[in-house]
Amino acid sequence: MKFLLVTSQNKNLVKLWACQETSHIGSLLPPVDLCSIAASLRKNEHIAKISDLRLFKNPLSTYSEELKSFKPDAIIINISTTSANYDYEIIKNTPKTVKKIAFGTHSIAMPEDCFNNGIDYILTGDPEVDIIDLIKNNFSSKMVSNYFKNLDELPFPALDLIDLEKYHTLYIKSERFSVLLGSRGCHYSCTYCLMPELFGNKIRLRSINNIVDEMQLDFEKYKITEFLFLDATFNINEERIYKLCEEILNRNLESLKWSCNMRVTPVSEKLLRMMKKAGCTRIYYGVEDIDLLEEVRKKITLAEIKNAFHLTKNAGIKTVAFIMLFPDTNNNEKSYVSKIVSLLKEIKTDSVQCNVAIPFPGTAMHKNFKTSLSNDWSTYDPNGEKLPYQSSIDLIKAKKDIYINFAILNPYIIIKTLFEVNLKDLFFMMKKFLIMLVEKFKTSS
C-alpha cells in the first residue's frame, strides 16, 4: 500500500509526539514521529512518503498536488488538540477514496470529535505497530491499540524522507539535528501532562546500545551532529544515564551534542559532570509554579529545584526553566509575575520558557477543571493569545511580563545567549520580544 504521512499546514505549530503548541521562538522541529511510522511501513514492504506542509507558502495547494501525483491509498496524520482545526481542514481536502488514519493525543482523548470530522481510523497505542496491525486485519477495526514490549524492535526513523536542513530551533546551531525518544510512557501523574495519554503510565525503555546505535547511524548516514531527547523521564535513574554516557564515550562520539528534558530529581554533581563529558550541553527542567507543586502532583520540592540548577551550573551545562502559569491563583497579576521572576533570579537559570497551563483533553486537569471549557480547539495553545477558560488574572499578559522582566534583570545572560543560538530563531524571538515591549509600553501609557 501507499501511505502519505502529513504534518500540520501551520508553520508555527510544533506537533511532535505529545508536544503541541505554537513555537514562541519560531522553531521548526523535524517530524520524527512520522519518520518512525514511515520506517515501520517500509519494514513491512509498504511505500511511505512524508509531506511537510509547513515548508510551503500554499500548503493546501501543495497537498492537493501531492495527492494527485503520489496517489496514496491512505494518509496518516498526528492530530493534537492545538492543531485539530488545521488537521480537520486537511482531512476535508482529502478524497473519500483515500483512507484517513490518525494518531496523537487528541485522537486518543476525543475519538468521536475526530470521527465526526472525517477520520476513518485511529491508532491509540504505538502507531508504528498499530498501523501494521490495521493493515494485516484488512482495516476491520476503527480503533487499534498495540504496544511494543521491546522498543528495540522499532526500526530507526526514516530521516531520508525529510530535508533535514530545513529544520531549526533556538538552542541548536547545528545545520542538522534530530529528536530522540529513549523511552515511552511515564509513571508520574502530573495533572497537565499528556505523555501518559500517548504512551501509557508504564515506562518502557530502549536499551542503551539501541539508543547510541541510532545516534551513530544518524551521524554517519545523515551527518547529524546534535540531538534533542524528548523523554518525559530521561533521568528515571542515574545508572541508566551513566551507561548512556559511557557508551557514547566508548564509541568516541562525545563530539556529538545533545540536550534533554529532566526532572530536578534524581540529580547529582557526579552525574551531571559525566553528562557534560559525553556531550550534554543543555538541560530543560520542569519548574512550573512552586506554589502549586502539590496540586499538580509534580512530586518535587523547592529545595530540589534550587539544588538541581546549582549543580547543573557547576557542571558547566546550560539550563532552561520550564514555568507554567495556572488559573487557580490567589495572587494578583503583578504579584504573580513578581513571584515567578524572583524564583528565576534565585535559581540563576540561563533561560526560561513560560507557558500558560492548558487543560488538554486526556489530562487530569481537563477532567477536573472547575469551570466550563471552550470547544474551540484553537484556544488550546500554551503560547496562544486566547485561552479555553476564564481566569481571574490575565495569564497571557503575565507570561509576556515574565519574559520582559527576566530579560531586563539578566542583560549579561541575554547578551551571552545571543552568540549561542540559531540565527533564524533569534530573529524571530527578537521580533516577538519587541512586540511585547511595545504592547507593554502602550498599556502602561
Side-chain angles (χ1 to χ4, degrees):
M1 292 184 66
K2 295 173 72 175
F3 291 86
L4 182 64
L5 295 88
V6 189
T7 67
S8 170
Q9 54 176 310
N10 183 343
K11 68 177 181 179
N12 292 323
L13 270 173
V14 176
K15 182 174 61 168
L16 182 63
W17 294 125
C19 297
Q20 51 179 304
E21 60 185 343
T22 51
S23 174
H24 66 299
I25 51 174
S27 295
L28 192 68
L29 298 182
V32 177
D33 49 355
L34 299 184
C35 294
S36 185
I37 299 170
S40 184
L41 288 165
R42 280 178 164 182
K43 184 179 179 181
N44 287 271
E45 300 182 344
H46 299 286
I47 301 170
K49 183 177 183 179
I50 295 175
S51 181
D52 194 336
L53 300 180
R54 299 171 300 173
L55 303 177
F56 302 95
K57 290 183 179 180
N58 300 301
L60 288 178
S61 176
T62 299
Y63 178 60
S64 296
E65 291 302 317
E66 287 273 32
L67 290 170
K68 290 176 185 177
S69 60
F70 185 59
K71 296 181 174 60
D73 298 296
I75 66 161
I76 301 176
I77 188 168
N78 176 352
I79 298 187
S80 71
T81 305
T82 309
S83 70
N85 289 350
Y86 292 99
D87 299 333
Y88 293 153
E89 193 173 2
I90 291 172
I91 299 303
K92 289 175 184 176
N93 282 270
T94 306
K96 292 182 179 180
T97 54
V98 178
K99 294 177 174 63
K100 303 158 192 72
I101 305 167
F103 71 102
T105 54
H106 189 78
S107 59
I108 295 171
M110 304 291 287
E112 290 306 315
D113 188 63
C114 290
F115 288 137
N116 290 338
N117 282 280
I119 289 296
D120 299 315
Y121 306 95
I122 296 176
L123 314 177
T124 66
D126 288 325
E128 300 91 343
V129 65
D130 277 347
I131 185 60
I132 303 306
D133 182 74
L134 187 65
I135 297 167
K136 286 181 178 179
N137 287 287
N138 199 30
F139 295 86
S140 58
S141 299
K142 299 283 285 183
M143 299 180 72
V144 188
S145 183
N146 299 279
Y147 292 93
F148 282 102
K149 291 182 179 179
N150 180 8
L151 290 179
D152 286 4
E153 294 177 1
L154 275 165
F156 297 145
L159 299 181
D160 59 294
L161 293 178
I162 59 176
D163 185 349
L164 288 162
E165 293 186 2
K166 296 289 187 182
Y167 303 100
H168 51 86
T169 188
L170 185 65
Y171 295 118
I172 294 180
K173 295 186 73 173
S174 302
E175 290 186 3
R176 295 185 173 208
F177 72 98
S178 188
V179 179
L180 291 178
L181 274 178
S183 64
R184 295 190 178 189
C186 183
H187 61 205
Y188 292 101
S189 55
C190 302
T191 60
Y192 52 82
C193 185
L194 276 166
M195 193 61 80
E197 179 74 2
L198 184 64
F199 290 130
N201 293 103
K202 182 180 179 181
I203 297 177
R204 293 168 291 145
L205 303 171
R206 293 170 60 185
S207 70
I208 296 302
N209 278 337
N210 184 254
I211 295 170
V212 183
D213 282 347
E214 182 177 346
M215 295 174 73
Q216 185 166 0
L217 174 72
D218 287 353
F219 171 61
E220 294 174 352
K221 184 176 181 179
Y222 302 113
K223 310 304 179 189
I224 290 171
T225 56
E226 201 155 350
F227 299 88
L228 171 61
F229 283 93
L230 280 186
D231 301 49
T233 49
F234 185 79
N235 57 331
I236 183 173
N237 64 61
E238 293 191 42
E239 183 182 358
R240 177 172 167 80
I241 302 180
Y242 274 117
K243 289 181 178 178
L244 173 69
C245 294
E246 286 172 353
E247 188 62 27
I248 290 172
L249 294 170
N250 287 340
R251 299 195 198 186
N252 299 315
L253 296 174
E254 62 271 19
S255 63
L256 300 181
K257 304 303 178 186
W258 52 277
S259 53
C260 59
N261 299 318
M262 291 208 333
R263 292 176 62 85
V264 296
T265 181
V267 170
S268 69
E269 187 169 353
K270 182 180 178 183
L271 171 68
L272 292 165
R273 291 194 181 280
M274 183 65 165
M275 291 171 65
K276 171 72 173 178
K277 186 178 180 181
C280 180
T281 58
R282 194 174 302 268
I283 297 175
Y284 299 77
Y285 284 117
V287 175
E288 320 316 349
D289 180 334
I290 57 171
D291 288 344
L292 294 173
L293 293 177
E294 185 174 342
E295 287 87 338
V296 300
R297 293 183 279 186
K298 185 69 178 177
K299 295 184 179 179
I300 60 174
T301 66
L302 177 57
E304 289 170 336
I305 293 171
K306 293 178 181 179
N307 182 60
F309 278 83
H310 173 71
L311 293 179
T312 307
K313 186 178 183 66
N314 286 349
I317 299 175
K318 299 289 184 181
T319 58
V320 179
F322 278 138
I323 299 292
M324 194 170 292
L325 307 182
F326 291 88
D328 295 329
T329 175
N330 295 320
N331 299 277
N332 59 42
E333 191 177 303
K334 187 175 181 180
S335 63
Y336 196 33
V337 170
S338 178
K339 178 188 71 172
I340 298 297
V341 172
S342 294
L343 172 64
L344 296 174
K345 185 177 181 180
E346 188 173 3
I347 62 179
K348 295 181 173 64
T349 183
D350 293 295
S351 51
V352 59
Q353 181 172 332
C354 187
N355 286 341
V356 177
I358 298 294
F360 287 114
T363 63
M365 186 181 179
H366 183 271
K367 295 170 185 174
N368 302 325
F369 209 76
K370 296 175 183 177
T371 59
S372 60
L373 291 166
S374 170
N375 287 327
D376 178 0
W377 305 129
S378 66
T379 63
Y380 286 72
D381 179 5
N383 284 310
E385 293 296 322
K386 295 181 180 180
L387 296 175
Y389 54 79
Q390 295 293 321
S391 175
S392 58
I393 63 174
D394 188 341
L395 293 174
I396 295 172
K397 183 177 183 299
K399 178 186 70 173
K400 294 176 180 178
D401 285 348
I402 288 168
Y403 279 128
I404 292 171
N405 281 281
F406 179 78
I408 292 172
L409 293 173
N410 298 279
Y412 172 73
I413 291 177
I414 300 301
I415 293 170
K416 188 177 180 182
T417 301
L418 297 181
F419 297 95
E420 300 172 345
V421 299
N422 184 290
L423 289 178
K424 290 181 181 178
D425 299 281
L426 173 62
F427 291 137
F428 186 94
M429 183 182 69
M430 293 296 290
K431 180 181 177 181
K432 289 204 71 172
F433 183 72
L434 289 172
I435 291 172
M436 285 191 290
L437 278 177
V438 171
E439 288 176 351
K440 185 175 178 64
F441 176 76
K442 286 181 178 179
T443 303
S444 60
S445 299

